[in-house]
Amino acid sequence: MINKEVQTQSRNYTVPLITITLLFFMWGFITCMNDILIPYLKQLFKLTFFESMLVQFCFFGAYFIGSLIYFLISISKGDPINKVGYKKGILFGIGLAALGCILFYPAATFSYYPLFLGALFILGLGFTVLQITANAYVSLLGSEDSASSRLNMTQAFNAFGTTIAPVLGGHLIFELFSEPDGTFSAVATRIPYLIFAAILLLVGLLISRVKLPSFQTETEETVQGWGALKFNHLKFGVFAMFCYVGGEVAVGSFIISFLEETMKFNEAISKNYLSLYWGGAMIGRFLGAISLNHSISQAKKAIFMLGAAALVFLVIFSIVNLNFEQISFFLVFILLNFAAFFVGKAAPARTLSIFAAINVILLISTMVNHGEIAMYSVLGIGIFNSIMFSNIYTLAISGLGKYTSQGSSLVVMAILGGAIVPIFQGLLADQFGVQHSFIIPVFCYLVILIFGAYCTKYLSHVKTNEAKSGH
């Protein structure tokens, strides 16, 4: 039973949603900075691809450690977030993430790679808490049917942060705070990450002053044991999330190196194309928020989606330091994205399978082609990654009832894929080159394709049984 405070605030979800969306933007920005750090630290410390991928291993490995701790606490002592409230949980996550950013200062001062990895681990722990609390919180700010739509909207602003990060972050580290002679120095990361810490703390201050619905229950049943794992769709969803985050992070981590290898671009140019990869995710998430909203008619959806795509494309064009001819190829992917959404018919599972299938094709094209075709193929993957996190998340925890909190922590635990998959791709890149290493994410997206097909059948079966039983 939800407490009276929540019931009286049921109509006041707009301000809380806007506030949390601001947080999504900021943590998307800082997460994407890893794609800038990888080539930067690789050159600074003369690392192999495998060694440079330890950046993602430590950052996303923290998701696994943090989620595992949360899960073990939840099955023994009850849901921690229900005890302290979503607001305190979110503020704790922000504080931990800010501490991780501050730790970049001593790491840069001593120019010691393990210290950078330690700072990234603390930063990842902070974002783990935010993933567990903020994603679940957004899903509660309205009806369950529109949860995927809301998550896509907040994830779109998360992707806005990832779109800006390569350009602004790359400028800060590769240009503004680099050595005057252009050589690499660890101190270039000190001021940027102190700025990020300050902004995070300001966002935390804002959230602390905004009245947020608590969504705490008056009486809580402590869920003992591993009950959530009796749901097959949750177990499959955890594996699908592992593959999705692993595939997305691996592709993003190697884009700068891939463009250097195939197009002979330097970091200053490549960072703009990296923005297109993440910008595609932003476009797709805005379109997904509209497409998966069941309260909008098909005619209005088409109009809103067209307007949103045009607006976001113009925003990306104004951000990246590329001319229209250089990014015009992206219009083809936007049209293909439109078509995929309408074929998916606003069904999260079916749309997920379609998007995964397209990414498999794009990755194969990246591996077998050369020059601009290979470049366009790898950059187009971002727009079809767009709805995957929110759709996998909501499909995996659908119908878990009292096990929803357990299930949520397990799904977030699967973000470990972002630590493991890039490591394997790094090993392959050291042996066979970056282009051939993209075979690793191919297998990731095949798993997602199968999960979407499974959920399409599973959810149809569940609804049929509910209809027969009269529920």
Side-chain angles (χ1 to χ4, degrees):
M1 178 180 173
I2 303 297
N3 63 26
K4 293 180 181 179
E5 179 190 4
V6 175
Q7 292 175 346
T8 58
Q9 292 176 351
S10 60
R11 297 181 181 179
N12 299 324
Y13 289 160
T14 303
V15 172
L17 192 58
I18 291 173
T19 306
I20 299 302
T21 299
L22 178 61
L23 177 60
F24 270 75
F25 165 81
M26 197 59 213
W27 105 51
F29 184 99
I30 297 175
T31 298
C32 191
M33 282 298 299
N34 289 358
D35 294 342
I36 296 296
L37 283 176
I38 288 168
Y40 173 78
L41 295 175
K42 184 176 184 294
Q43 291 197 40
L44 178 65
F45 295 109
K46 310 301 179 187
L47 307 172
T48 64
F49 281 113
F50 172 78
E51 290 168 337
S52 65
M53 286 303 135
L54 290 175
V55 166
Q56 303 292 31
F57 181 79
C58 289
F59 181 81
F60 288 100
Y63 279 76
F64 175 77
I65 300 298
S67 299
L68 179 61
I69 292 170
Y70 186 93
F71 179 77
L72 293 175
I73 293 173
S74 71
I75 64 175
S76 60
K77 299 182 181 297
D79 183 9
I81 297 303
N82 189 70
K83 292 179 182 296
V84 303
Y86 281 93
K87 186 172 186 176
K88 289 181 180 178
I90 290 170
L91 291 175
F92 177 72
I94 291 173
L96 204 54
L99 174 61
C101 290
I102 292 170
L103 289 175
F104 269 76
Y105 193 91
T109 300
F110 293 105
S111 190
Y112 189 47
Y113 189 46
L115 283 179
F116 278 104
L117 298 179
L120 285 161
F121 182 80
I122 300 299
L123 183 58
L125 283 178
F127 287 165
T128 303
V129 178
L130 293 178
Q131 287 281 12
I132 294 172
T133 54
N135 280 304
Y137 190 73
V138 169
S139 70
L140 292 171
L141 288 172
S143 69
E144 185 176 346
D145 290 340
S146 60
S148 284
S149 176
R150 285 194 305 281
L151 272 175
N152 270 303
M153 180 60 72
T154 53
Q155 289 287 335
F157 283 94
N158 181 274
F160 183 39
T162 63
T163 304
I164 294 175
V167 176
L168 180 56
H171 174 70
L172 291 174
I173 291 177
F174 289 126
E175 299 171 44
L176 185 61
F177 292 106
S178 65
E179 295 296 320
D181 60 0
T183 58
F184 285 87
S185 170
V187 297
T189 60
R190 288 194 304 197
I191 303 302
Y193 275 86
L194 284 180
I195 294 172
F196 302 156
I199 295 174
L200 277 173
L201 292 173
L202 285 174
V203 172
L205 179 63
L206 174 64
I207 290 175
S208 71
R209 294 183 177 278
V210 172
K211 192 172 182 62
L212 300 179
S214 68
F215 292 113
Q216 288 173 269
T217 55
E218 292 176 349
T219 60
E220 178 194 6
E221 175 187 356
T222 300
V223 179
Q224 300 287 344
W226 299 69
L229 291 177
K230 69 182 179 181
F231 297 93
N232 289 330
H233 71 287
L234 171 65
K235 289 184 284 189
F236 200 166
V238 169
F239 186 44
M241 184 64 82
F242 177 95
C243 292
Y244 159 67
V245 179
E248 181 185 54
V249 171
V251 172
S253 299
F254 278 93
I255 281 179
I256 289 179
S257 297
F258 176 73
L259 295 180
E260 181 181 346
E261 183 179 285
T262 60
M263 302 297 293
K264 309 304 178 187
F265 291 161
N266 60 28
E267 290 86 355
I269 296 174
S270 296
K271 64 180 173 59
N272 292 291
Y273 285 98
L274 178 61
S275 276
L276 289 182
Y277 172 74
W278 293 110
M282 176 171 60
I283 293 174
R285 284 168 183 168
F286 275 116
L287 297 184
I290 299 169
S291 175
L292 298 174
N293 191 323
H294 299 281
S295 64
I296 305 176
S297 67
Q298 287 295 107
K300 287 184 177 180
K301 279 183 182 180
I303 296 171
F304 291 160
M305 290 172 72
L306 184 63
L311 180 61
V312 178
F313 180 80
L314 289 174
V315 170
I316 295 172
F317 181 62
S318 66
I319 291 172
V320 299
N321 188 25
L322 299 170
N323 59 43
F324 181 77
E325 184 180 352
Q326 290 172 307
I327 69 169
S328 58
F329 73 91
F330 223 68
L331 295 173
V332 175
F333 290 116
I334 292 175
L335 291 175
L336 183 58
N337 197 249
F338 260 86
F341 271 121
F342 281 103
V343 172
K345 296 179 179 178
R350 187 187 298 119
T351 305
L352 181 65
S353 285
I354 294 169
F355 278 38
I358 292 172
N359 272 356
V360 169
I361 295 170
L362 288 175
L363 280 164
I364 293 172
S365 174
T366 300
M367 293 170 60
V368 301
N369 289 303
H370 301 281
E372 289 186 345
I373 294 178
M375 178 180 73
Y376 296 157
S377 297
V378 75
L379 296 177
I381 293 168
I383 196 169
F384 297 100
N385 279 336
S386 54
I387 50 86
M388 289 188 181
F389 182 94
S390 55
N391 284 24
I392 293 171
Y393 182 88
T394 52
L395 288 169
I397 66 173
S398 175
L400 297 190
K402 65 182 180 180
Y403 297 107
T404 298
S405 178
Q406 270 191 23
S408 178
S409 63
L410 286 170
V411 175
V412 174
M413 200 183 300
I415 293 176
L416 176 69
I420 303 299
V421 175
I423 286 287
F424 280 99
Q425 188 167 348
L427 285 171
L428 218 59
D430 285 327
Q431 296 296 319
F432 304 104
V434 174
Q435 188 167 18
H436 296 299
S437 72
F438 283 104
I439 188 65
I440 298 291
V442 167
F443 290 110
C444 292
Y445 288 106
L446 283 173
V447 170
I448 298 167
L449 191 162
I450 297 168
F451 173 69
Y454 171 82
C455 284
T456 300
K457 289 186 176 181
Y458 169 78
L459 293 175
S460 176
H461 178 69
V462 169
K463 287 180 179 178
T464 300
N465 287 342
E466 287 179 348
K468 289 180 179 178
S469 63
H471 294 298

